[in-house]
Amino acid sequence: MIVFFFLMIALVVVVAAVTLAVIGGGSEAVLPEAEPDRVADGLPETRPVVRADIDALRLPVAPRGYRMAEVDDVLERLAAELAERDARIAQLTAAQAPASPADAAPQDAPGHVDLSKGGER
């Protein structure tokens, strides 16, 4: 019987402690509001991404690793910028290259032998 009363008193104490913890200490919150864990210094929107931006980038950690949406956004942005740069490089390379292979090696150059027509030197 004493054990029953002891358990009842312990139960009342635990319920009271939990109730006080939930209600809090008056008008002041027990814990301050937590700000969502987001990328603080993301990739710049007004200019192309440079190596220093990638080095400075820190992705937020979630309970089971990284936030997939945040990582997907960063990877999508990087992929788009790399594709844009690759297209620009290809465009500049094509503009710099000769118009056709015939322009690159003129047929009447000295010492040129056209083996497709059976020519000799």
Side-chain angles (χ1 to χ4, degrees):
M1 190 78 161
I2 293 179
V3 174
F4 177 73
F5 287 121
F6 178 73
L7 289 176
M8 289 301 290
I9 292 173
L11 179 66
V12 169
V13 169
V14 169
V15 169
V18 169
T19 303
L20 287 175
V22 169
I23 293 174
S27 63
E28 222 176 280
V30 176
L31 295 175
E33 288 295 319
E35 293 189 25
D37 193 16
R38 300 283 183 236
V39 176
D41 296 321
L43 300 176
E45 297 292 331
T46 58
R47 63 176 171 77
V49 177
V50 296
R51 173 67 189 253
D53 297 330
I54 303 300
D55 290 340
L57 182 67
R58 296 294 175 255
L59 297 171
V61 178
R64 291 189 295 156
Y66 289 99
R67 294 180 188 270
M68 287 188 281
E70 296 284 336
V71 174
D72 289 345
D73 290 343
V74 169
L75 291 177
E76 184 177 314
R77 169 80 187 276
L78 289 174
E81 288 211 15
L82 287 174
E84 183 180 320
R85 288 179 188 178
D86 288 345
R88 181 70 177 144
I89 289 170
Q91 179 185 16
L92 292 173
T93 303
Q96 189 178 25
S100 67
D103 294 339
Q107 298 294 336
D108 49 295
H112 174 53
V113 176
D114 188 4
L115 297 177
S116 64
K117 295 181 183 176
E120 295 183 19
R121 265 191 199 185

